[in-house]
Short mmCIF file of all heavy atoms in Angstrom, two decimals:
data_model
loop_
_atom_site.label_atom_id
_atom_site.label_comp_id
_atom_site.label_asym_id
_atom_site.label_seq_id
_atom_site.Cartn_x
_atom_site.Cartn_y
_atom_site.Cartn_z
N MET A 142 96.03 110.71 119.97
CA MET A 142 97.12 111.37 119.29
C MET A 142 97.82 110.39 118.35
O MET A 142 98.19 110.77 117.25
CB MET A 142 98.08 111.95 120.33
CG MET A 142 99.19 112.71 119.75
SD MET A 142 98.57 114.15 118.91
CE MET A 142 99.97 115.15 118.87
N GLU A 143 98.01 109.17 118.78
CA GLU A 143 98.68 108.20 117.92
C GLU A 143 97.92 107.96 116.63
O GLU A 143 98.52 107.78 115.57
CB GLU A 143 98.89 106.88 118.67
CG GLU A 143 99.93 106.98 119.75
CD GLU A 143 100.11 105.67 120.49
OE1 GLU A 143 99.68 104.63 119.97
OE2 GLU A 143 100.68 105.71 121.59
N ASP A 144 96.58 107.97 116.70
CA ASP A 144 95.78 107.77 115.48
C ASP A 144 96.03 108.89 114.48
O ASP A 144 96.13 108.65 113.27
CB ASP A 144 94.29 107.72 115.83
CG ASP A 144 93.92 106.48 116.61
OD1 ASP A 144 94.67 105.48 116.52
OD2 ASP A 144 92.90 106.51 117.31
N ILE A 145 96.13 110.10 114.98
CA ILE A 145 96.38 111.24 114.09
C ILE A 145 97.77 111.15 113.48
O ILE A 145 97.95 111.35 112.28
CB ILE A 145 96.24 112.58 114.87
CG1 ILE A 145 94.83 112.73 115.41
CG2 ILE A 145 96.63 113.76 114.00
CD1 ILE A 145 93.75 112.80 114.36
N LEU A 146 98.76 110.82 114.28
CA LEU A 146 100.12 110.70 113.76
C LEU A 146 100.21 109.56 112.74
O LEU A 146 100.92 109.67 111.74
CB LEU A 146 101.11 110.50 114.90
CG LEU A 146 101.25 111.68 115.85
CD1 LEU A 146 102.16 111.32 117.01
CD2 LEU A 146 101.73 112.91 115.12
N ASP A 147 99.50 108.48 112.98
CA ASP A 147 99.47 107.39 112.01
C ASP A 147 98.85 107.85 110.69
O ASP A 147 99.31 107.49 109.61
CB ASP A 147 98.69 106.19 112.55
CG ASP A 147 99.44 105.44 113.63
OD1 ASP A 147 100.69 105.60 113.70
OD2 ASP A 147 98.80 104.70 114.40
N LEU A 148 97.80 108.63 110.79
CA LEU A 148 97.16 109.15 109.59
C LEU A 148 98.12 110.03 108.80
O LEU A 148 98.22 109.92 107.58
CB LEU A 148 95.91 109.94 109.98
CG LEU A 148 95.17 110.63 108.86
CD1 LEU A 148 94.60 109.60 107.89
CD2 LEU A 148 94.08 111.50 109.42
N TYR A 149 98.85 110.90 109.47
CA TYR A 149 99.82 111.76 108.78
C TYR A 149 100.93 110.95 108.14
O TYR A 149 101.54 111.39 107.17
CB TYR A 149 100.44 112.76 109.76
CG TYR A 149 99.51 113.84 110.23
CD1 TYR A 149 99.82 114.57 111.37
CD2 TYR A 149 98.33 114.15 109.57
CE1 TYR A 149 98.98 115.58 111.82
CE2 TYR A 149 97.49 115.14 110.01
CZ TYR A 149 97.83 115.85 111.14
OH TYR A 149 97.01 116.85 111.58
N ASN A 150 101.22 109.81 108.68
CA ASN A 150 102.31 108.98 108.19
C ASN A 150 101.91 108.13 106.98
O ASN A 150 102.78 107.56 106.33
CB ASN A 150 102.82 108.09 109.32
CG ASN A 150 104.21 107.59 109.08
OD1 ASN A 150 105.00 108.24 108.41
ND2 ASN A 150 104.52 106.44 109.64
N GLU A 151 100.64 108.06 106.65
CA GLU A 151 100.19 107.26 105.51
C GLU A 151 100.64 107.91 104.20
O GLU A 151 100.78 109.12 104.12
CB GLU A 151 98.67 107.14 105.51
CG GLU A 151 98.15 106.25 106.60
CD GLU A 151 96.64 106.09 106.54
OE1 GLU A 151 96.00 106.52 105.55
OE2 GLU A 151 96.10 105.53 107.50
N PRO A 152 100.86 107.10 103.17
CA PRO A 152 101.24 107.68 101.87
C PRO A 152 100.11 108.54 101.30
O PRO A 152 98.93 108.32 101.59
CB PRO A 152 101.50 106.46 100.98
CG PRO A 152 101.06 105.27 101.72
CD PRO A 152 100.79 105.65 103.15
N TYR A 153 100.49 109.49 100.48
CA TYR A 153 99.52 110.40 99.90
C TYR A 153 98.59 109.66 98.94
O TYR A 153 99.02 108.87 98.11
CB TYR A 153 100.24 111.52 99.14
CG TYR A 153 99.29 112.46 98.45
CD1 TYR A 153 98.52 113.34 99.19
CD2 TYR A 153 99.15 112.45 97.08
CE1 TYR A 153 97.63 114.20 98.57
CE2 TYR A 153 98.28 113.31 96.45
CZ TYR A 153 97.52 114.19 97.20
OH TYR A 153 96.65 115.03 96.59
N ASP A 154 97.29 109.92 99.07
CA ASP A 154 96.28 109.35 98.19
C ASP A 154 95.43 110.51 97.68
O ASP A 154 94.69 111.12 98.45
CB ASP A 154 95.41 108.34 98.94
CG ASP A 154 94.34 107.70 98.08
OD1 ASP A 154 94.24 108.03 96.88
OD2 ASP A 154 93.59 106.87 98.62
N PRO A 155 95.50 110.86 96.37
CA PRO A 155 94.76 112.00 95.86
C PRO A 155 93.24 111.85 95.99
O PRO A 155 92.51 112.83 96.01
CB PRO A 155 95.17 112.10 94.40
CG PRO A 155 95.84 110.84 94.06
CD PRO A 155 96.28 110.20 95.35
N LYS A 156 92.76 110.62 96.11
CA LYS A 156 91.32 110.41 96.28
C LYS A 156 90.88 110.61 97.72
O LYS A 156 89.70 110.76 98.00
CB LYS A 156 90.93 109.01 95.81
CG LYS A 156 91.11 108.83 94.32
CD LYS A 156 90.65 107.47 93.89
CE LYS A 156 90.85 107.32 92.39
NZ LYS A 156 90.36 106.05 91.89
N ARG A 157 91.83 110.58 98.65
CA ARG A 157 91.52 110.76 100.08
C ARG A 157 92.54 111.69 100.72
O ARG A 157 93.35 111.28 101.54
CB ARG A 157 91.55 109.40 100.78
CG ARG A 157 90.50 108.44 100.28
CD ARG A 157 90.57 107.11 101.00
NE ARG A 157 90.37 107.32 102.42
CZ ARG A 157 91.02 106.64 103.37
NH1 ARG A 157 91.91 105.73 103.06
NH2 ARG A 157 90.78 106.87 104.64
N PRO A 158 92.54 112.98 100.36
CA PRO A 158 93.53 113.89 100.93
C PRO A 158 93.30 114.12 102.42
O PRO A 158 92.18 114.03 102.91
CB PRO A 158 93.32 115.19 100.14
CG PRO A 158 91.92 115.09 99.66
CD PRO A 158 91.62 113.63 99.46
N VAL A 159 94.37 114.39 103.11
CA VAL A 159 94.29 114.68 104.54
C VAL A 159 94.20 116.20 104.69
O VAL A 159 95.02 116.94 104.16
CB VAL A 159 95.53 114.15 105.28
CG1 VAL A 159 95.51 114.57 106.73
CG2 VAL A 159 95.61 112.65 105.15
N VAL A 160 93.21 116.66 105.41
CA VAL A 160 93.03 118.08 105.67
C VAL A 160 93.22 118.30 107.17
O VAL A 160 92.60 117.61 107.98
CB VAL A 160 91.62 118.55 105.23
CG1 VAL A 160 91.43 120.02 105.55
CG2 VAL A 160 91.42 118.26 103.76
N CYS A 161 94.07 119.25 107.51
CA CYS A 161 94.37 119.50 108.92
C CYS A 161 93.66 120.77 109.38
O CYS A 161 93.61 121.75 108.66
CB CYS A 161 95.87 119.68 109.11
SG CYS A 161 96.81 118.28 108.53
N PHE A 162 93.14 120.73 110.58
CA PHE A 162 92.49 121.88 111.18
C PHE A 162 93.11 122.16 112.54
O PHE A 162 93.39 121.25 113.29
CB PHE A 162 90.99 121.62 111.39
CG PHE A 162 90.22 121.57 110.11
CD1 PHE A 162 89.97 120.36 109.50
CD2 PHE A 162 89.76 122.74 109.53
CE1 PHE A 162 89.26 120.30 108.32
CE2 PHE A 162 89.04 122.68 108.36
CZ PHE A 162 88.79 121.47 107.74
N ASP A 163 93.28 123.44 112.81
CA ASP A 163 93.75 123.85 114.11
C ASP A 163 92.51 124.22 114.94
O ASP A 163 91.59 124.85 114.43
CB ASP A 163 94.67 125.05 113.97
CG ASP A 163 95.40 125.36 115.25
OD1 ASP A 163 95.02 124.81 116.30
OD2 ASP A 163 96.35 126.14 115.21
N GLU A 164 92.49 123.84 116.18
CA GLU A 164 91.32 124.09 117.00
C GLU A 164 91.27 125.50 117.58
O GLU A 164 90.30 125.88 118.21
CB GLU A 164 91.26 123.06 118.14
CG GLU A 164 91.06 121.66 117.62
CD GLU A 164 91.01 120.65 118.75
OE1 GLU A 164 90.95 121.06 119.93
OE2 GLU A 164 91.03 119.46 118.46
N CYS A 165 92.31 126.28 117.38
CA CYS A 165 92.33 127.64 117.89
C CYS A 165 91.64 128.58 116.91
O CYS A 165 91.74 128.40 115.71
CB CYS A 165 93.77 128.10 118.10
SG CYS A 165 94.64 127.12 119.33
N SER A 166 91.00 129.58 117.41
CA SER A 166 90.33 130.54 116.54
C SER A 166 91.17 131.81 116.43
O SER A 166 90.96 132.79 117.15
CB SER A 166 88.94 130.86 117.08
OG SER A 166 89.07 131.39 118.38
N TYR A 167 92.15 131.79 115.55
CA TYR A 167 93.00 132.94 115.30
C TYR A 167 92.61 133.56 113.97
O TYR A 167 92.26 132.86 113.03
CB TYR A 167 94.48 132.53 115.19
CG TYR A 167 95.06 132.00 116.46
CD1 TYR A 167 95.56 130.71 116.52
CD2 TYR A 167 95.16 132.80 117.60
CE1 TYR A 167 96.12 130.22 117.68
CE2 TYR A 167 95.72 132.32 118.76
CZ TYR A 167 96.20 131.03 118.79
OH TYR A 167 96.76 130.55 119.93
N GLN A 168 92.71 134.85 113.89
CA GLN A 168 92.57 135.53 112.62
C GLN A 168 93.97 135.84 112.13
O GLN A 168 94.68 136.64 112.73
CB GLN A 168 91.75 136.80 112.76
CG GLN A 168 91.56 137.50 111.44
CD GLN A 168 90.73 138.75 111.58
OE1 GLN A 168 90.32 139.11 112.68
NE2 GLN A 168 90.50 139.42 110.48
N LEU A 169 94.37 135.20 111.04
CA LEU A 169 95.71 135.41 110.49
C LEU A 169 95.66 136.62 109.58
O LEU A 169 94.97 136.63 108.57
CB LEU A 169 96.16 134.16 109.74
CG LEU A 169 96.11 132.88 110.57
CD1 LEU A 169 96.49 131.69 109.73
CD2 LEU A 169 97.01 132.99 111.78
N VAL A 170 96.38 137.66 109.95
CA VAL A 170 96.22 138.94 109.27
C VAL A 170 97.39 139.35 108.38
O VAL A 170 97.23 140.19 107.50
CB VAL A 170 95.94 140.07 110.29
CG1 VAL A 170 94.60 139.86 110.95
CG2 VAL A 170 97.05 140.19 111.30
N GLU A 171 98.56 138.78 108.61
CA GLU A 171 99.71 139.24 107.85
C GLU A 171 100.79 138.16 107.85
O GLU A 171 101.01 137.48 108.85
CB GLU A 171 100.26 140.51 108.49
CG GLU A 171 101.37 141.15 107.74
CD GLU A 171 101.84 142.44 108.43
OE1 GLU A 171 101.12 142.98 109.27
OE2 GLU A 171 102.95 142.87 108.10
N GLU A 172 101.47 138.03 106.73
CA GLU A 172 102.59 137.09 106.67
C GLU A 172 103.80 137.71 107.35
O GLU A 172 104.00 138.92 107.33
CB GLU A 172 102.93 136.78 105.22
CG GLU A 172 101.86 136.01 104.52
CD GLU A 172 102.28 135.63 103.12
OE1 GLU A 172 103.46 135.69 102.80
OE2 GLU A 172 101.38 135.26 102.36
N VAL A 173 104.62 136.86 107.97
CA VAL A 173 105.83 137.33 108.63
C VAL A 173 106.94 137.54 107.61
O VAL A 173 107.72 138.47 107.71
CB VAL A 173 106.27 136.31 109.71
CG1 VAL A 173 107.59 136.71 110.33
CG2 VAL A 173 105.21 136.19 110.78
N ARG A 174 107.00 136.67 106.61
CA ARG A 174 108.03 136.76 105.57
C ARG A 174 107.37 136.83 104.19
O ARG A 174 106.30 136.28 103.99
CB ARG A 174 108.91 135.52 105.61
CG ARG A 174 109.69 135.39 106.89
CD ARG A 174 110.47 134.08 106.89
NE ARG A 174 111.08 133.85 108.17
CZ ARG A 174 110.48 133.27 109.20
NH1 ARG A 174 109.26 132.83 109.09
NH2 ARG A 174 111.10 133.12 110.35
N GLN A 175 108.03 137.48 103.28
CA GLN A 175 107.55 137.53 101.91
C GLN A 175 107.80 136.18 101.22
O GLN A 175 108.76 135.48 101.55
CB GLN A 175 108.27 138.63 101.12
CG GLN A 175 107.92 140.03 101.59
CD GLN A 175 106.43 140.30 101.40
OE1 GLN A 175 105.88 140.00 100.35
NE2 GLN A 175 105.81 140.84 102.42
N PRO A 176 106.94 135.80 100.27
CA PRO A 176 107.16 134.54 99.56
C PRO A 176 108.51 134.56 98.83
O PRO A 176 108.98 135.61 98.40
CB PRO A 176 106.02 134.48 98.55
CG PRO A 176 105.02 135.46 99.03
CD PRO A 176 105.75 136.48 99.85
N LEU A 177 109.10 133.39 98.72
CA LEU A 177 110.35 133.28 97.97
C LEU A 177 110.06 133.37 96.48
O LEU A 177 109.04 132.87 96.02
CB LEU A 177 111.02 131.93 98.26
CG LEU A 177 111.47 131.70 99.70
CD1 LEU A 177 111.95 130.27 99.86
CD2 LEU A 177 112.57 132.65 100.07
N PRO A 178 110.92 134.01 95.73
CA PRO A 178 110.67 134.08 94.29
C PRO A 178 110.74 132.68 93.68
O PRO A 178 111.55 131.85 94.10
CB PRO A 178 111.79 134.97 93.76
CG PRO A 178 112.81 135.03 94.82
CD PRO A 178 112.15 134.69 96.12
N PRO A 179 109.90 132.40 92.70
CA PRO A 179 109.91 131.05 92.13
C PRO A 179 111.17 130.80 91.30
O PRO A 179 111.70 131.71 90.66
CB PRO A 179 108.66 131.03 91.25
CG PRO A 179 108.38 132.46 90.96
CD PRO A 179 108.90 133.25 92.12
N GLU A 180 111.63 129.59 91.35
CA GLU A 180 112.73 129.16 90.49
C GLU A 180 112.11 128.72 89.17
O GLU A 180 110.91 128.50 89.09
CB GLU A 180 113.49 128.02 91.16
CG GLU A 180 114.19 128.47 92.43
CD GLU A 180 114.92 127.33 93.12
OE1 GLU A 180 115.12 126.27 92.50
OE2 GLU A 180 115.28 127.51 94.28
N PRO A 181 112.91 128.60 88.13
CA PRO A 181 112.34 128.19 86.83
C PRO A 181 111.52 126.90 86.96
O PRO A 181 111.97 125.92 87.54
CB PRO A 181 113.57 127.97 85.95
CG PRO A 181 114.62 128.83 86.56
CD PRO A 181 114.35 128.82 88.04
N GLU A 182 110.32 126.96 86.46
CA GLU A 182 109.39 125.83 86.43
C GLU A 182 109.00 125.31 87.82
O GLU A 182 108.67 124.15 88.00
CB GLU A 182 109.95 124.69 85.58
CG GLU A 182 110.18 125.11 84.13
CD GLU A 182 110.61 123.96 83.27
OE1 GLU A 182 110.36 122.80 83.64
OE2 GLU A 182 111.20 124.23 82.22
N GLN A 183 109.07 126.18 88.82
CA GLN A 183 108.67 125.82 90.18
C GLN A 183 107.64 126.83 90.68
O GLN A 183 107.70 128.00 90.33
CB GLN A 183 109.88 125.83 91.14
CG GLN A 183 110.90 124.78 90.84
CD GLN A 183 110.37 123.39 91.14
OE1 GLN A 183 109.63 123.20 92.09
NE2 GLN A 183 110.73 122.43 90.31
N PRO A 184 106.71 126.40 91.52
CA PRO A 184 105.73 127.35 92.06
C PRO A 184 106.36 128.25 93.11
O PRO A 184 107.41 127.96 93.68
CB PRO A 184 104.68 126.44 92.71
CG PRO A 184 105.42 125.19 93.03
CD PRO A 184 106.48 125.03 91.97
N GLU A 185 105.69 129.35 93.37
CA GLU A 185 106.13 130.26 94.42
C GLU A 185 106.02 129.56 95.76
O GLU A 185 105.10 128.78 95.99
CB GLU A 185 105.23 131.49 94.39
CG GLU A 185 105.74 132.65 95.16
CD GLU A 185 104.91 133.88 94.89
OE1 GLU A 185 103.68 133.74 94.79
OE2 GLU A 185 105.48 134.96 94.78
N ARG A 186 106.94 129.81 96.68
CA ARG A 186 106.93 129.15 97.99
C ARG A 186 106.55 130.14 99.07
O ARG A 186 107.02 131.27 99.09
CB ARG A 186 108.30 128.57 98.29
CG ARG A 186 108.71 127.53 97.30
CD ARG A 186 110.03 126.96 97.72
NE ARG A 186 110.67 126.36 96.57
CZ ARG A 186 111.84 125.77 96.61
NH1 ARG A 186 112.50 125.72 97.74
NH2 ARG A 186 112.36 125.26 95.53
N TYR A 187 105.71 129.68 99.97
CA TYR A 187 105.25 130.51 101.08
C TYR A 187 105.65 129.88 102.40
O TYR A 187 105.67 128.67 102.53
CB TYR A 187 103.71 130.62 101.07
CG TYR A 187 103.18 131.48 99.98
CD1 TYR A 187 102.91 130.97 98.73
CD2 TYR A 187 102.95 132.83 100.21
CE1 TYR A 187 102.41 131.77 97.72
CE2 TYR A 187 102.45 133.65 99.21
CZ TYR A 187 102.18 133.11 97.97
OH TYR A 187 101.70 133.91 96.98
N ASP A 188 105.94 130.74 103.36
CA ASP A 188 106.18 130.29 104.72
C ASP A 188 104.84 130.30 105.43
O ASP A 188 103.99 131.14 105.19
CB ASP A 188 107.15 131.25 105.41
CG ASP A 188 107.64 130.72 106.73
OD1 ASP A 188 107.15 129.68 107.17
OD2 ASP A 188 108.53 131.34 107.34
N PHE A 189 104.63 129.37 106.33
CA PHE A 189 103.35 129.26 107.00
C PHE A 189 103.37 129.86 108.40
O PHE A 189 102.79 129.35 109.32
CB PHE A 189 102.90 127.80 107.05
CG PHE A 189 102.61 127.28 105.67
CD1 PHE A 189 103.53 126.51 105.02
CD2 PHE A 189 101.43 127.59 105.04
CE1 PHE A 189 103.28 126.05 103.74
CE2 PHE A 189 101.15 127.12 103.78
CZ PHE A 189 102.08 126.35 103.12
N GLU A 190 104.09 130.95 108.53
CA GLU A 190 104.11 131.68 109.80
C GLU A 190 103.40 133.01 109.57
O GLU A 190 103.69 133.72 108.62
CB GLU A 190 105.54 131.92 110.26
CG GLU A 190 105.63 132.58 111.60
CD GLU A 190 107.07 132.74 112.07
OE1 GLU A 190 107.99 132.24 111.43
OE2 GLU A 190 107.25 133.40 113.09
N TYR A 191 102.44 133.32 110.43
CA TYR A 191 101.63 134.52 110.26
C TYR A 191 101.57 135.31 111.56
O TYR A 191 101.79 134.78 112.64
CB TYR A 191 100.20 134.15 109.89
CG TYR A 191 100.08 133.45 108.58
CD1 TYR A 191 100.08 132.07 108.52
CD2 TYR A 191 99.96 134.17 107.39
CE1 TYR A 191 99.95 131.41 107.31
CE2 TYR A 191 99.83 133.53 106.19
CZ TYR A 191 99.83 132.15 106.14
OH TYR A 191 99.73 131.51 104.96
N ILE A 192 101.24 136.58 111.41
CA ILE A 192 100.94 137.42 112.56
C ILE A 192 99.45 137.28 112.81
O ILE A 192 98.64 137.37 111.89
CB ILE A 192 101.30 138.88 112.27
CG1 ILE A 192 102.81 139.01 112.05
CG2 ILE A 192 100.83 139.79 113.41
CD1 ILE A 192 103.24 140.38 111.57
N SER A 193 99.06 137.01 114.04
CA SER A 193 97.64 136.85 114.35
C SER A 193 97.18 137.93 115.32
O SER A 193 97.98 138.55 116.01
CB SER A 193 97.40 135.46 114.95
OG SER A 193 98.10 135.31 116.15
N LEU A 194 95.88 138.10 115.35
CA LEU A 194 95.29 139.06 116.30
C LEU A 194 94.99 138.39 117.62
O LEU A 194 94.73 137.28 117.72
CB LEU A 194 93.99 139.63 115.73
CG LEU A 194 94.15 140.52 114.53
CD1 LEU A 194 92.77 140.98 114.05
CD2 LEU A 194 95.01 141.72 114.85
#
């Protein structure tokens, strides 16, 4: 676990992005909240909470 936390704590490197995987097999079927409307010159924001089966 400490190795993983150390990896997350490293500075961002675009040549070596960190990709996270969850070991559970859930089918995410619906968002719980609607995305927030974008502010000027900002991307749309999404919440990462979903309804699963």
Side-chain angles (χ1 to χ4, degrees):
M142 183 65 159
E143 289 180 18
D144 292 337
I145 299 297
L146 294 175
D147 287 340
L148 176 64
Y149 290 163
N150 201 28
E151 289 183 9
Y153 177 71
D154 180 0
K156 293 183 180 183
R157 297 180 59 217
V159 175
V160 178
C161 303
F162 289 95
D163 191 347
E164 295 180 10
C165 297
S166 59
Y167 294 119
Q168 181 179 2
L169 305 176
V170 294
E171 185 179 343
E172 293 184 16
V173 175
R174 296 176 188 86
Q175 292 298 314
L177 296 173
E180 295 179 14
E182 299 185 22
Q183 294 291 323
E185 194 170 39
R186 298 183 202 180
Y187 287 88
D188 190 353
F189 294 100
E190 184 177 353
Y191 296 94
I192 297 172
S193 62
L194 292 179

